[in-house]
Amino acid sequence: MVLVGVSRGHNTDHAGDQPTRDQPVTRQPVTNDEVARAFADMATALELLGANRFRTASNSRVAREIRDMTTNLADLVNEDPATAVARLCALPGIGKGSAEKIVELMETGAMNEHQKLMAEVPRGLFDVLDVPGIGPKAARVMWQELEIESVDDLMAQIDTEAFRALPRMGEKTIANIKEAVAFRAQTASRTPIGQALPIAREIHEALAALPGVERAAYAGSLRRGEETIGDLDFLVSSSEPEAVAEFFVNAEGVTKVLAHGATKCSVRLERGRVAIQADLRLVPLEAFGAALMYFTGSKEHNVRMRERSIKRGMRLNEYGLFEGNEERPQDLGKAPVAAADEEAIYAALELPFIPPELRQGHAELDQPPTARLIELNDIKAELHAHTVASDGSMSIEELAQCARNRGYHTIAVTDHSVSQVIANGLDADRLRDHVDAVRAVAARIEDISVLAGSEVDILADGSLDYDDEILALLDVVVASPHAALRQDPEAATARLLKAIAHPLVRIIGHPTGRLINRREGLSPDMSALYRAAAEHDTALELNANSQRLDLRDRHVRGAREQGCAIALDTDAHREENFDQLVYGVLTARRAGLEPEGCINTWPAEKLHTWLRAGR
Ligand code: DGT
Ligand code: CA
Ligand code: CA
Ligand code: ZN
C-alpha cells in the first residue's frame, strides 16, 4: 500500500479543495499534497526532537513550496524517472536532497528519512501538537519533562502541579487546552463519509463474494448517507457464518479484534490515514430485512417504527415484525408478519419504502415521500470545475472528456478568480484568454456543451472579484466565499445576500465554506439566503466534495421549502473528483431533494436558457 510511510491516524492537512484519497488500498500516484505532508511531518518531527532550526525550516519550506505548486510531481517523475531529480531541482524551492527524497517516495511509496524520524517520535505526540494552542516547543517540553506522549497523557496530567510548573503554562493556557481537547473529542472521532464509504464498499464486496454468502449489506449511518460516520456496520447471511467471521477479523487493516462471536464480530480497522471501528452481524436469511432495517437506524426512526407497530397490534425488532404487542409463550416459533425484506415490513405497516437517507426520525413516517428522490444517474451537467488554468490538473479538453464519459450534456469551466493567489486565480486578462480557449474547445466538440465560466470570489464585503463587464463575457458565474470565513453572522449574511442579488451570478458555490471536522465556515442567516435566492432565482450549490458537503442536508431541505433551485456540483480539480458526486447525491437525498429541484438534472436546453436568464 502506498503511503504507509506518510500517513498518520489523523489529519493535520491544510484546508483546501482537494479531497483526501479515496482508494487507500490500490496503489495510485502519490499526490503533491501527500509529498508536502511528508516534508511537513519531517519538519514537525525534527522540531519535537529539538533538532537544528535550519534543518526544520528547510523541510517546512519545501512542504510549502510543494503545496503552492501547480506542477504535478508524480507526472513529472513518471515522465522519465532517470532525469527526474535534475528536473525537480529546476522547480522553485527544491534542492537536490529534497528532489531525491521525492523520487524515492514516488518509486517506493515511502521515504526512508521520513520513516526514521517518525519512528523516533511517539505518534500520539503529533495529536498533542494538533491541539490548537500547543506549539512544538510546548509539546517537546511536555514530552521531555513529563513523558506526555498522547492527548490522554496530557489530560491525565493537566491538573497536576508538575504541569502547571511547566514554562509559560498559565491558567488561561490550561483552560484553552482543555476546551480545545473537548471540541476535538466531539468532532474528530467521527470519520468523514468520503473516507468511510470507499473502505466499506470494498469490505462489502469482499464479504458478498465469500462462498456461502446469500446476502450482504452495510447499514448504519453510512447507509443513511450521513456526512460523518461513527463506525461501520455490516450484515451478512451465509450458510458458512464461521468462515465469514474468520474473514472479517482477518481483513486487511484490522489492528485489533474487539469481539469474535458466532453472531457478532467487532474490529478496529486502520487504512492509510483512517482509523475506524467496524461491526459485523451474522443474521439468518429469513430475517435479513428486519436486521437491515434495525441496524440501518436511525435509532429515532426505529423508535417511531416500533411505536407504529404497537399501535397496529404488532411488535417490531431486529428479527421481524410479529403479531401481538407482547411475546406470549404460545407465540414462540410463530412466523413473523414480515422479516425477509424491508419493503414487506414497511408495507405491513402501511408505509411506502422509506429510503435509508430519510430515516432520520423526523417526519418521514407522518409525511412519507411522494416524489422519487434524486439519483446519481439524474445528473446531466457539471457546472463547477477547474482546469490547469487555476489549480486543477486537467486541460479544458480533458475536463470535457471526463464530462462526456459520464454522459453529461454540459460542462462548465469555472477556474478561480484573481484573489485566489494560492490557487493561481486568473486576472482579467488571463480570464479573457481562457474564455477564448474554452470557446475554441467548445467549437471543436459537438456532442457536449462546454461553457466558459468562472468561480469568482465573493469578497468579504460581498463584492465580486471581477468587474461586471468581465463577468458579462461568461456563460456561467459561480460565486463562492473562500477567504474571511470567520466573519460574524451579520457580515456573512450581508455578504452572501449581495452576491445572490447580483444579476450576473447564477450559482452560489459552497455557500458557507465549512470543511467537515476542520473548519466551521460562515454562519449566515440561512432563511434570509433562501428567500433571496428564490426571489432572484439564484441557485445555491450543494458542493459534493466530501470534505465540504456545503450546503448541508438540512440547508438543502430549507432551501427547497422556499423554492430555491439547487446546483449539485463536484468542484472537480482532478478526474477522480467526479466520483465525489455520490456524496452530494446522498446528502441531497437526506434533504428529500427530487430531481426537478436540481438544475444539473435538467435537459440541456432548459438549463442553458436558465443560465442565460436575467443577464
Ligand atoms: P454512528 O455509527 O454513530 O455513525 O451511527 P449509527 O446510526 O450507525 O449507530 P450505531 O453504529 O451505534 O448503530 C447502528 C444502528 O443500530 C443504529 O442506527 C440503530 C441501531 N441501534 C443500535 N443500538 C440501538 C438501540 O439501542 N436502540 C435502537 N432502537 N436502535 C439501535
Ligand atoms: Ca455505525
Ligand atoms: Ca455500530
Ligand atoms: Zn471550485
Side-chain angles (χ1 to χ4, degrees), residues 303-315:
V303 168
R304 304 274 157 93
M305 288 291 286
R306 278 202 301 272
E307 285 169 0
R308 190 177 178 99
S309 310
I310 287 169
K311 278 194 200 128
R312 283 166 170 70
M314 292 182 273
R315 62 183 196 282

Side-chain angles (χ1 to χ4, degrees), residues 290-310:
L292 182 58
M293 178 181 280
Y294 181 84
F295 290 110
T296 295
S298 65
K299 288 191 181 77
E300 295 74 18
H301 178 81
N302 290 353
V303 168
R304 304 274 157 93
M305 288 291 286
R306 278 202 301 272
E307 285 169 0
R308 190 177 178 99
S309 310
I310 287 169

Side-chain angles (χ1 to χ4, degrees), residues 389-423:
S390 62
D391 60 348
S393 69
M394 293 171 283
S395 66
I396 300 165
E397 284 89 349
E398 285 165 346
L399 188 57
Q401 186 58 46
C402 280
R404 181 198 278 124
N405 291 345
R406 310 244 155 191
Y408 294 171
H409 57 60
T410 300
I411 173 80
V413 181
T414 60
D415 279 299
H416 286 289
S417 61
V418 59
S419 287
Q420 284 298 299
V421 177
I422 289 178

